[in-house]
PDB file of all heavy atoms in Angstrom:
ATOM      1  N   PRO A 350     101.671  77.666  78.356  1.00  0.00           N
ATOM      2  CA  PRO A 350     102.564  76.985  77.465  1.00  0.00           C
ATOM      3  C   PRO A 350     103.977  76.831  78.126  1.00  0.00           C
ATOM      4  O   PRO A 350     104.436  77.728  78.659  1.00  0.00           O
ATOM      5  CB  PRO A 350     102.542  77.879  76.151  1.00  0.00           C
ATOM      6  CG  PRO A 350     102.043  79.158  76.561  1.00  0.00           C
ATOM      7  CD  PRO A 350     101.178  79.027  77.762  1.00  0.00           C
ATOM      8  N   ALA A 351     104.539  75.705  77.776  1.00  0.00           N
ATOM      9  CA  ALA A 351     105.933  75.407  78.282  1.00  0.00           C
ATOM     10  C   ALA A 351     106.864  76.482  77.996  1.00  0.00           C
ATOM     11  O   ALA A 351     107.768  76.908  78.803  1.00  0.00           O
ATOM     12  CB  ALA A 351     106.366  74.089  77.802  1.00  0.00           C
ATOM     13  N   PHE A 352     106.802  77.045  76.608  1.00  0.00           N
ATOM     14  CA  PHE A 352     107.738  77.992  76.291  1.00  0.00           C
ATOM     15  C   PHE A 352     107.645  79.275  77.084  1.00  0.00           C
ATOM     16  O   PHE A 352     108.757  80.040  77.267  1.00  0.00           O
ATOM     17  CB  PHE A 352     107.657  78.354  74.822  1.00  0.00           C
ATOM     18  CG  PHE A 352     106.499  79.194  74.401  1.00  0.00           C
ATOM     19  CD1 PHE A 352     106.476  80.613  74.519  1.00  0.00           C
ATOM     20  CD2 PHE A 352     105.302  78.627  73.842  1.00  0.00           C
ATOM     21  CE1 PHE A 352     105.432  81.380  74.178  1.00  0.00           C
ATOM     22  CE2 PHE A 352     104.278  79.438  73.457  1.00  0.00           C
ATOM     23  CZ  PHE A 352     104.254  80.735  73.674  1.00  0.00           C
ATOM     24  N   PHE A 353     106.460  79.572  77.748  1.00  0.00           N
ATOM     25  CA  PHE A 353     106.317  80.673  78.537  1.00  0.00           C
ATOM     26  C   PHE A 353     107.061  80.568  79.912  1.00  0.00           C
ATOM     27  O   PHE A 353     107.807  81.511  80.381  1.00  0.00           O
ATOM     28  CB  PHE A 353     104.868  81.130  78.682  1.00  0.00           C
ATOM     29  CG  PHE A 353     104.724  82.482  79.382  1.00  0.00           C
ATOM     30  CD1 PHE A 353     105.012  83.683  78.832  1.00  0.00           C
ATOM     31  CD2 PHE A 353     104.346  82.439  80.672  1.00  0.00           C
ATOM     32  CE1 PHE A 353     104.984  84.869  79.488  1.00  0.00           C
ATOM     33  CE2 PHE A 353     104.245  83.636  81.426  1.00  0.00           C
ATOM     34  CZ  PHE A 353     104.591  84.872  80.720  1.00  0.00           C
ATOM     35  N   VAL A 354     106.762  79.348  80.453  1.00  0.00           N
ATOM     36  CA  VAL A 354     107.480  79.088  81.731  1.00  0.00           C
ATOM     37  C   VAL A 354     109.091  79.043  81.546  1.00  0.00           C
ATOM     38  O   VAL A 354     109.711  79.685  82.377  1.00  0.00           O
ATOM     39  CB  VAL A 354     107.032  77.763  82.292  1.00  0.00           C
ATOM     40  CG1 VAL A 354     107.693  77.477  83.637  1.00  0.00           C
ATOM     41  CG2 VAL A 354     105.516  77.632  82.498  1.00  0.00           C
ATOM     42  N   GLU A 355     109.388  78.478  80.435  1.00  0.00           N
ATOM     43  CA  GLU A 355     110.845  78.512  79.995  1.00  0.00           C
ATOM     44  C   GLU A 355     111.379  79.905  79.925  1.00  0.00           C
ATOM     45  O   GLU A 355     112.439  80.231  80.467  1.00  0.00           O
ATOM     46  CB  GLU A 355     111.094  77.837  78.691  1.00  0.00           C
ATOM     47  CG  GLU A 355     112.072  76.676  78.804  1.00  0.00           C
ATOM     48  CD  GLU A 355     111.987  75.841  77.489  1.00  0.00           C
ATOM     49  OE1 GLU A 355     112.549  76.348  76.440  1.00  0.00           O
ATOM     50  OE2 GLU A 355     111.446  74.809  77.604  1.00  0.00           O
ATOM     51  N   PHE A 356     110.665  80.806  79.357  1.00  0.00           N
ATOM     52  CA  PHE A 356     111.018  82.189  79.212  1.00  0.00           C
ATOM     53  C   PHE A 356     111.178  82.928  80.565  1.00  0.00           C
ATOM     54  O   PHE A 356     112.082  83.571  80.779  1.00  0.00           O
ATOM     55  CB  PHE A 356     109.989  83.035  78.308  1.00  0.00           C
ATOM     56  CG  PHE A 356     110.303  84.421  78.273  1.00  0.00           C
ATOM     57  CD1 PHE A 356     111.433  84.897  77.560  1.00  0.00           C
ATOM     58  CD2 PHE A 356     109.458  85.383  78.849  1.00  0.00           C
ATOM     59  CE1 PHE A 356     111.740  86.292  77.480  1.00  0.00           C
ATOM     60  CE2 PHE A 356     109.765  86.733  78.806  1.00  0.00           C
ATOM     61  CZ  PHE A 356     110.856  87.204  78.108  1.00  0.00           C
ATOM     62  N   ILE A 357     110.273  82.695  81.458  1.00  0.00           N
ATOM     63  CA  ILE A 357     110.307  83.294  82.743  1.00  0.00           C
ATOM     64  C   ILE A 357     111.552  82.665  83.534  1.00  0.00           C
ATOM     65  O   ILE A 357     112.266  83.483  84.168  1.00  0.00           O
ATOM     66  CB  ILE A 357     109.101  83.055  83.605  1.00  0.00           C
ATOM     67  CG1 ILE A 357     107.791  83.670  82.904  1.00  0.00           C
ATOM     68  CG2 ILE A 357     109.156  83.598  85.044  1.00  0.00           C
ATOM     69  CD1 ILE A 357     107.886  85.158  82.725  1.00  0.00           C
ATOM     70  N   VAL A 358     111.777  81.434  83.409  1.00  0.00           N
ATOM     71  CA  VAL A 358     112.927  80.874  84.062  1.00  0.00           C
ATOM     72  C   VAL A 358     114.244  81.399  83.458  1.00  0.00           C
ATOM     73  O   VAL A 358     115.168  81.823  84.089  1.00  0.00           O
ATOM     74  CB  VAL A 358     112.908  79.345  83.883  1.00  0.00           C
ATOM     75  CG1 VAL A 358     114.276  78.656  84.324  1.00  0.00           C
ATOM     76  CG2 VAL A 358     111.784  78.701  84.696  1.00  0.00           C
ATOM     77  N   PHE A 359     114.247  81.486  82.065  1.00  0.00           N
ATOM     78  CA  PHE A 359     115.408  82.115  81.414  1.00  0.00           C
ATOM     79  C   PHE A 359     115.645  83.549  81.856  1.00  0.00           C
ATOM     80  O   PHE A 359     116.865  83.954  82.130  1.00  0.00           O
ATOM     81  CB  PHE A 359     115.086  82.084  79.879  1.00  0.00           C
ATOM     82  CG  PHE A 359     116.076  82.831  79.040  1.00  0.00           C
ATOM     83  CD1 PHE A 359     117.340  82.324  78.739  1.00  0.00           C
ATOM     84  CD2 PHE A 359     115.720  84.071  78.345  1.00  0.00           C
ATOM     85  CE1 PHE A 359     118.234  82.940  77.934  1.00  0.00           C
ATOM     86  CE2 PHE A 359     116.645  84.677  77.609  1.00  0.00           C
ATOM     87  CZ  PHE A 359     117.878  84.167  77.320  1.00  0.00           C
ATOM     88  N   HIS A 360     114.576  84.375  81.995  1.00  0.00           N
ATOM     89  CA  HIS A 360     114.681  85.743  82.536  1.00  0.00           C
ATOM     90  C   HIS A 360     115.346  85.755  83.860  1.00  0.00           C
ATOM     91  O   HIS A 360     116.259  86.600  84.080  1.00  0.00           O
ATOM     92  CB  HIS A 360     113.271  86.308  82.507  1.00  0.00           C
ATOM     93  CG  HIS A 360     113.351  87.752  83.025  1.00  0.00           C
ATOM     94  ND1 HIS A 360     113.167  88.834  82.250  1.00  0.00           N
ATOM     95  CD2 HIS A 360     113.406  88.201  84.305  1.00  0.00           C
ATOM     96  CE1 HIS A 360     113.224  89.968  82.990  1.00  0.00           C
ATOM     97  NE2 HIS A 360     113.387  89.584  84.239  1.00  0.00           N
ATOM     98  N   GLU A 361     114.872  84.933  84.641  1.00  0.00           N
ATOM     99  CA  GLU A 361     115.475  84.998  86.064  1.00  0.00           C
ATOM    100  C   GLU A 361     116.904  84.496  86.117  1.00  0.00           C
ATOM    101  O   GLU A 361     117.770  84.988  86.919  1.00  0.00           O
ATOM    102  CB  GLU A 361     114.599  84.025  87.021  1.00  0.00           C
ATOM    103  CG  GLU A 361     113.150  84.568  87.267  1.00  0.00           C
ATOM    104  CD  GLU A 361     113.115  86.043  87.596  1.00  0.00           C
ATOM    105  OE1 GLU A 361     113.960  86.593  88.351  1.00  0.00           O
ATOM    106  OE2 GLU A 361     112.134  86.679  87.081  1.00  0.00           O
ATOM    107  N   MET A 362     117.197  83.594  85.208  1.00  0.00           N
ATOM    108  CA  MET A 362     118.604  83.150  85.131  1.00  0.00           C
ATOM    109  C   MET A 362     119.498  84.283  84.680  1.00  0.00           C
ATOM    110  O   MET A 362     120.693  84.386  85.124  1.00  0.00           O
ATOM    111  CB  MET A 362     118.785  81.878  84.359  1.00  0.00           C
ATOM    112  CG  MET A 362     118.066  80.671  84.898  1.00  0.00           C
ATOM    113  SD  MET A 362     117.842  79.298  83.826  1.00  0.00           S
ATOM    114  CE  MET A 362     119.551  78.544  83.846  1.00  0.00           C
TER     115      MET A 362
END
Side-chain angles (χ1 to χ4, degrees):
F352 73 81
F353 187 72
V354 182
E355 231 169 77
F356 174 68
I357 299 299
V358 171
F359 174 70
H360 176 103
E361 296 311 322
M362 290 167 83

